[in-house]
Amino acid sequence: MDKFKNMINKNKKIVITVIVLIILSLIIGIYFVSKPNDNKNSETQTEQKVDVSKESDNKKEEKENSKTDKNTDNSNTTSTTKDNNNSSTDSNKKDSSSSNSGNSGNSGSDKPSKPAHQHSWKQHTAQKWVSNMVTVPDYETQKVAVGTNFIFAEDGYIASNIDDAKAHAKELIKAGYIGNYRTETIYETKQVQVGSHQEDHGHNETYVDYEYCDCGARR
């Protein structure tokens, strides 16, 4: 025991510092253990505040909705009263117009009525083309062989008939001539048809397309 006491006395400062450190660690631990509870309390308080604010907002919305419902009810009632007033004014106008029309009918009966318009119809004419297709021949100027000349060189005799040429040849032979002759084709210029084409030899024809009146009516 004396040795233990001596050790404590020698290490007194160390023991005191250790005890102080242990006490400080306990205080710090207690502080940190209690701090989350404070945070939780603060959070619950903020949540309660938020809930209170939400409830107040909901109450404000309910009040505004009730006001709008009242306003809509008032507007509906005013519109119905306006409709009733308008219907009454329309009925009054109809009654007044019917009474006025009755009065005008009575006053018009006093004046002489104009005779009804009678149409004076006049004929409006137009022209149309009446077609008449005709085949027309096409002609061309050509030289056409129309005969043969028999020409005797010994005396210059010309015959256009073969029989006359033979008879003259016999006479020349009797007279001591040979009696020869030559032939020459006779041509004449004529209009020769070379084809045809279609032509419309129609004419304009007048017809009545409609009747009209000076008032503007047509039929």
Side-chain angles (χ1 to χ4, degrees), residues 26-38:
L26 289 172
I27 292 167
I28 291 167
I30 292 166
Y31 174 75
F32 282 110
V33 168
S34 63
K35 190 174 181 180
N37 292 324
D38 294 335

Side-chain angles (χ1 to χ4, degrees), residues 57-147:
D57 292 333
N58 291 324
K59 287 180 180 180
K60 287 181 180 179
E61 289 180 356
E62 289 178 356
K63 288 180 180 180
E64 290 178 355
N65 290 323
S66 63
K67 287 180 180 179
T68 54
D69 293 333
K70 288 180 180 180
N71 291 323
T72 53
D73 293 333
N74 291 323
S75 63
N76 289 323
T77 54
T78 53
S79 62
T80 53
T81 54
K82 287 181 180 179
D83 292 331
N84 291 323
N85 291 324
N86 289 325
S87 63
S88 62
T89 53
D90 291 333
S91 62
N92 290 325
K93 287 180 180 179
K94 288 180 180 179
D95 294 333
S96 62
S97 63
S98 62
S99 63
N100 289 323
S101 63
N103 292 324
S104 63
N106 293 324
S107 62
S109 63
D110 296 333
K111 294 180 181 180
S113 60
K114 292 182 180 180
H117 173 73
Q118 292 183 353
H119 295 300
S120 177
W121 297 111
K122 298 176 184 178
Q123 291 183 345
H124 183 273
T125 58
Q127 287 190 339
K128 63 180 178 180
W129 180 258
V130 180
S131 180
N132 181 21
M133 300 303 295
V134 177
T135 301
V136 179
D138 296 326
Y139 291 96
E140 189 177 278
T141 301
Q142 294 180 358
K143 286 183 178 182
V144 181
V146 294

